[in-house]
Amino acid sequence: MKVALAADHGGFPLKAEIAELITSLGHEVLDLGAHQYDKQDDYPDFARYIGQAIQHGQADRAVLLCGSGVGASIAANKMKGVRASVCHDAYSAAQGVEHDDMNVLCLGSRIIGGAVADVLVRAFLGASFIAEGKYQRRLDKVLGIE
Ligand code: RB5
Protein backbone atom coordinates (compact mmCIF):
# COMPACT_ATOMS: atom_id res chain seq x y z
CA MET A 1 0.00 0.00 0.00
CA LYS A 2 1.07 3.61 -0.53
CA VAL A 3 0.77 5.46 2.75
CA ALA A 4 1.05 9.25 2.95
CA LEU A 5 2.49 10.65 6.17
CA ALA A 6 2.49 14.22 7.44
CA ALA A 7 2.84 16.09 10.71
CA ASP A 8 2.75 19.64 12.00
CA HIS A 9 5.11 20.69 14.80
CA GLY A 10 2.78 19.12 17.37
CA GLY A 11 3.03 15.74 15.69
CA PHE A 12 6.60 16.02 14.52
CA PRO A 13 8.20 14.10 17.42
CA LEU A 14 6.45 10.87 16.31
CA LYS A 15 6.88 11.24 12.56
CA ALA A 16 10.24 9.60 11.89
CA GLU A 17 9.38 6.59 14.03
CA ILE A 18 6.09 6.09 12.22
CA ALA A 19 7.74 6.40 8.80
CA GLU A 20 10.15 3.67 9.78
CA LEU A 21 7.35 1.46 11.03
CA ILE A 22 5.26 1.86 7.87
CA THR A 23 8.27 0.95 5.73
CA SER A 24 9.10 -2.03 7.93
CA LEU A 25 5.55 -3.31 7.39
CA GLY A 26 6.22 -3.43 3.64
CA HIS A 27 4.37 -0.27 2.63
CA GLU A 28 5.63 2.71 0.66
CA VAL A 29 5.77 6.01 2.55
CA LEU A 30 4.88 9.26 0.81
CA ASP A 31 6.44 11.85 3.12
CA LEU A 32 4.52 15.12 2.88
CA GLY A 33 6.38 16.94 5.64
CA ALA A 34 7.05 18.68 7.81
CA HIS A 35 10.65 17.93 6.93
CA GLN A 36 11.95 19.85 9.91
CA TYR A 37 10.53 21.11 13.19
CA ASP A 38 8.90 24.51 12.74
CA LYS A 39 6.91 25.83 15.67
CA GLN A 40 5.08 28.23 13.35
CA ASP A 41 3.67 25.63 10.95
CA ASP A 42 -0.08 24.95 10.77
CA TYR A 43 -1.83 21.56 10.81
CA PRO A 44 -4.43 22.45 8.09
CA ASP A 45 -1.61 22.70 5.55
CA PHE A 46 -0.57 19.12 6.23
CA ALA A 47 -4.17 17.94 6.23
CA ARG A 48 -4.51 19.49 2.78
CA TYR A 49 -1.40 17.70 1.48
CA ILE A 50 -2.70 14.39 2.82
CA GLY A 51 -6.17 14.95 1.37
CA GLN A 52 -4.77 15.83 -2.03
CA ALA A 53 -2.62 12.69 -2.04
CA ILE A 54 -5.73 10.59 -1.33
CA GLN A 55 -7.82 12.47 -3.89
CA HIS A 56 -5.21 12.13 -6.64
CA GLY A 57 -4.59 8.45 -5.96
CA GLN A 58 -1.00 9.05 -4.85
CA ALA A 59 -1.79 7.33 -1.55
CA ASP A 60 -4.23 4.62 -0.52
CA ARG A 61 -4.20 5.65 3.12
CA ALA A 62 -2.53 8.22 5.31
CA VAL A 63 -1.32 8.87 8.81
CA LEU A 64 -1.64 12.49 9.92
CA LEU A 65 -0.07 13.73 13.13
CA CYS A 66 -0.66 16.82 15.21
CA GLY A 67 -0.49 17.49 18.93
CA SER A 68 -3.84 15.98 19.82
CA GLY A 69 -4.99 14.46 16.51
CA VAL A 70 -8.12 16.61 16.74
CA GLY A 71 -7.21 19.52 14.50
CA ALA A 72 -5.75 17.13 11.96
CA SER A 73 -8.98 15.14 11.73
CA ILE A 74 -11.23 18.22 11.60
CA ALA A 75 -9.23 19.69 8.73
CA ALA A 76 -8.75 16.43 6.82
CA ASN A 77 -12.47 15.63 6.92
CA LYS A 78 -13.22 18.83 5.02
CA MET A 79 -11.74 17.21 1.95
CA LYS A 80 -13.84 15.08 -0.38
CA GLY A 81 -12.88 11.43 -0.30
CA VAL A 82 -11.17 11.70 3.06
CA ARG A 83 -12.51 9.71 6.00
CA ALA A 84 -10.31 10.62 8.92
CA SER A 85 -10.50 10.03 12.64
CA VAL A 86 -8.42 10.29 15.74
CA CYS A 87 -8.02 6.77 17.11
CA HIS A 88 -6.02 6.29 20.26
CA ASP A 89 -7.22 2.74 20.84
CA ALA A 90 -6.50 -0.29 18.68
CA TYR A 91 -10.12 -1.39 18.37
CA SER A 92 -11.12 1.89 16.71
CA ALA A 93 -8.00 2.01 14.53
CA ALA A 94 -8.99 -1.33 12.96
CA GLN A 95 -12.76 -1.08 13.17
CA GLY A 96 -12.70 2.40 11.63
CA VAL A 97 -11.33 0.79 8.49
CA GLU A 98 -13.42 -2.39 8.59
CA HIS A 99 -16.78 -0.71 9.17
CA ASP A 100 -16.28 2.89 8.06
CA ASP A 101 -13.59 2.71 5.37
CA MET A 102 -11.47 5.21 7.30
CA ASN A 103 -8.54 6.14 5.10
CA VAL A 104 -6.71 8.63 7.32
CA LEU A 105 -5.55 7.79 10.83
CA CYS A 106 -4.95 10.88 12.96
CA LEU A 107 -2.73 10.62 16.00
CA GLY A 108 -1.78 13.09 18.70
CA SER A 109 1.84 12.94 19.69
CA ARG A 110 1.16 14.91 22.87
CA ILE A 111 -1.27 12.17 23.93
CA ILE A 112 0.39 8.90 22.94
CA GLY A 113 3.97 7.72 22.70
CA GLY A 114 5.77 5.61 20.13
CA ALA A 115 4.75 2.23 21.54
CA VAL A 116 1.03 2.99 21.40
CA ALA A 117 1.39 4.64 17.99
CA ASP A 118 3.06 1.45 16.75
CA VAL A 119 0.06 -0.67 17.82
CA LEU A 120 -2.39 1.79 16.27
CA VAL A 121 -0.63 2.08 12.92
CA ARG A 122 -0.33 -1.70 12.68
CA ALA A 123 -4.05 -2.08 13.43
CA PHE A 124 -4.96 0.62 10.88
CA LEU A 125 -2.81 -0.73 8.04
CA GLY A 126 -3.68 -4.34 8.77
CA ALA A 127 -7.43 -3.79 8.44
CA SER A 128 -9.60 -3.87 5.30
CA PHE A 129 -13.03 -2.40 4.66
CA ILE A 130 -15.85 -4.97 4.68
CA ALA A 131 -17.37 -3.77 1.42
CA GLU A 132 -20.73 -5.48 1.75
CA GLY A 133 -24.20 -5.28 3.27
CA LYS A 134 -24.74 -2.77 6.04
CA TYR A 135 -21.18 -1.44 5.88
CA GLN A 136 -21.41 -0.59 2.19
CA ARG A 137 -24.90 0.86 2.69
CA ARG A 138 -23.63 3.13 5.46
CA LEU A 139 -20.60 4.18 3.48
CA ASP A 140 -22.85 5.03 0.54
CA LYS A 141 -24.94 7.21 2.87
CA VAL A 142 -21.81 8.95 4.12
CA LEU A 143 -20.75 9.58 0.53
CA GLY A 144 -24.25 10.90 -0.12
CA ILE A 145 -23.78 13.49 2.63
CA GLU A 146 -20.47 14.47 1.05
C1 RB5 B 1 -0.18 22.86 17.55
O1 RB5 B 1 0.39 23.56 18.60
C2 RB5 B 1 -1.42 22.10 17.98
O2 RB5 B 1 -2.44 23.00 18.28
C3 RB5 B 1 -1.84 21.14 16.89
O3 RB5 B 1 -0.77 20.28 16.62
C4 RB5 B 1 -3.00 20.23 17.19
O4 RB5 B 1 -2.87 19.64 18.44
C5 RB5 B 1 -4.34 20.72 16.94
O5 RB5 B 1 -5.32 19.99 17.12
Side-chain angles (χ1 to χ4, degrees), residues 35-143:
H35 301 294
Q36 60 189 26
Y37 182 84
D38 175 3
K39 200 175 178 200
Q40 301 304 321
D41 67 15
D42 300 320
Y43 66 82
D45 294 326
F46 299 100
R48 185 185 292 275
Y49 303 150
I50 288 286
Q52 288 170 339
I54 296 281
Q55 288 174 339
H56 298 152
Q58 293 158 327
D60 305 297
R61 294 199 197 164
V63 178
L64 181 57
L65 310 168
C66 71
S68 63
V70 174
S73 67
I74 289 173
N77 277 313
K78 297 292 182 192
M79 300 190 66
K80 190 170 182 172
V82 168
R83 290 175 292 284
S85 184
V86 189
C87 298
H88 286 160
D89 70 276
Y91 174 77
S92 302
Q95 194 230 244
V97 177
E98 292 165 356
H99 290 196
D100 312 317
D101 203 18
M102 174 174 69
N103 52 13
V104 179
L105 174 67
C106 300
L107 301 176
S109 80
R110 294 177 184 159
I111 314 297
I112 57 165
V116 173
D118 183 297
V119 170
L120 299 173
V121 171
R122 284 174 191 271
F124 171 60
L125 296 179
S128 303
F129 176 54
I130 305 167
E132 60 188 38
K134 61 189 178 186
Y135 303 118
Q136 188 61 57
R137 183 179 72 239
R138 291 165 187 161
L139 175 61
D140 290 342
K141 288 186 179 184
V142 170
L143 297 177

